[in-house]
Amino acid sequence: MTTNHRIALIPGDGIGAEVLPPAQQVLDVLGRRHGFSLSYTSYDWSCERYLREGAMMPADGIDQLRDKDAILLGAVGYPGVPDHVSLWGLLIPIRRSFRQYVNLRPIRVFEGIDSPVRGARPGEVDIVVVRENAEGEYSEIGGRLNQGTSEELAVQEAVFTRAGVTRIADYAFSLAARRRGRLTSATKSNGIIHTMPFWDELIAERAAEHPGVAWDQEHIDALAAKFVLDPARFDVVVASNLFGDILSDLAAAVAGSIGIAPAANLNPERDFPSMFEPVHGSAPDIAGEGIANPLGAIWSAAMMLDHLGHPAAARDITDAIASVLAKTDTRTPDLGGTATTAEFTDKLIELL
């Protein structure tokens, strides 16, 4: 019997609607090859919907997604809609309602892509940033007082729990054990006096349970510099919500283009659907031109297949990505070429 996976599609805004169809094309090719099928339900949840109806998604949006096996998202964000509206109106409610506490962001320098960093050579840079995705600096605790006066102030509280740090640490150490056995923890405990020493203590505590993994910790400012100066030294990097967000975008730039970078928002226990999305955002400056790089969405689709139990199909996709970059000169403009989104997708499917 063919396994069928129920996939929620949220194209979102800008180029999100342009990169999800290529990802679907690739998924369907792999489904026929590996003997599974995918049924898609598409949702128009977006900034456009917010402008039209006053909400990014309907009140029962989470319930509509609950029975799906996975969520594939394009991008959100639109000029005229504040970014915190799009984020807190859609992405963060999904991540937190479905306990997607692992944000997984792999970064590779592929052959055929010139990194802007001289020392970032193909085959040597292969990093996974494991970002805590449910608490940390992105909390709702705080507020603003005396708005519009000279005494106006804003307070934002970071929240780090033993349970939250422990589970992301265990996930990262376990991942490092399956890879090259090295883990780096991002911290700033010299300047942030309460949460970061707590983070450091719990990372060290969990390290004792994973003796096969060599680990160290780096202050976030020094770590950002080393991502540029010597990216090949890193394997798995575990970081809080804010630090992981910044580091993974920096690493994507080191790899040559943020248009390549994928992300997975995982509920490792599989009690709820996980969500997969490219890192690049909605890119309104090129939306509608048909030149968006689909690789971030396609690689995210590969991560989704791996999560759904099809690792061989996922490898087929990443191998095809490597081949199209190494063996052809087909490139979208962000990679220095002139190919359209459709032309790039056709070439990748040809190699598949």
Side-chain angles (χ1 to χ4, degrees), residues 265-319:
N265 302 275
L266 299 178
N267 171 243
E269 295 79 14
R270 302 172 188 268
D271 296 326
F272 304 98
S274 294
M275 179 167 63
F276 303 82
E277 56 175 322
V279 173
H280 54 57
S282 60
D285 56 322
I286 62 167
E289 297 181 20
I291 58 172
N293 188 342
L295 277 186
I298 292 170
W299 194 353
S300 298
M303 297 180 76
M304 183 179 76
L305 289 184
D306 188 64
H307 179 74
L308 292 173
H310 305 288
R315 283 193 300 273
D316 283 353
I317 295 177
T318 52
D319 288 349

Side-chain angles (χ1 to χ4, degrees), residues 74-150:
V76 293
Y78 191 78
V81 177
D83 287 339
H84 69 274
V85 169
S86 57
L87 189 66
W88 285 90
L90 185 65
L91 294 186
I92 289 182
I94 292 173
R95 290 171 176 170
R96 295 188 174 176
S97 296
F98 293 146
R99 299 180 187 172
Q100 297 168 352
Y101 60 84
V102 174
N103 187 262
L104 200 63
R105 296 189 175 187
I107 299 99
R108 290 170 55 186
V109 174
F110 288 96
E111 183 181 349
I113 297 296
D114 292 328
S115 168
V117 175
R118 185 172 58 236
R121 289 177 287 272
E124 296 182 9
V125 178
D126 183 357
I127 306 169
V128 179
V129 176
V130 179
R131 169 193 175 195
E132 199 291 314
N133 206 36
E135 52 180 46
E137 301 88 351
Y138 293 3
S139 86
E140 297 176 76
I141 300 173
R144 295 175 65 174
L145 296 174
N146 304 322
Q147 294 186 49
T149 74
S150 59

Side-chain angles (χ1 to χ4, degrees), residues 44-62:
D44 70 342
W45 304 345
S46 60
C47 291
E48 185 176 346
R49 185 188 191 281
Y50 173 81
L51 292 173
R52 186 177 66 248
E53 301 187 31
M56 294 289 295
M57 63 178 174
D60 66 344
I62 297 298

Side-chain angles (χ1 to χ4, degrees), residues 297-351:
I298 292 170
W299 194 353
S300 298
M303 297 180 76
M304 183 179 76
L305 289 184
D306 188 64
H307 179 74
L308 292 173
H310 305 288
R315 283 193 300 273
D316 283 353
I317 295 177
T318 52
D319 288 349
I321 291 172
S323 293
V324 77
L325 295 175
K327 298 178 180 179
T328 81
D329 58 1
T330 305
R331 301 284 188 275
T332 46
D334 62 303
L335 296 175
T338 59
T340 65
T341 306
E343 290 168 344
F344 193 94
T345 305
D346 289 345
K347 177 59 68 173
L348 187 140
I349 291 176
E350 177 186 319
L351 292 174

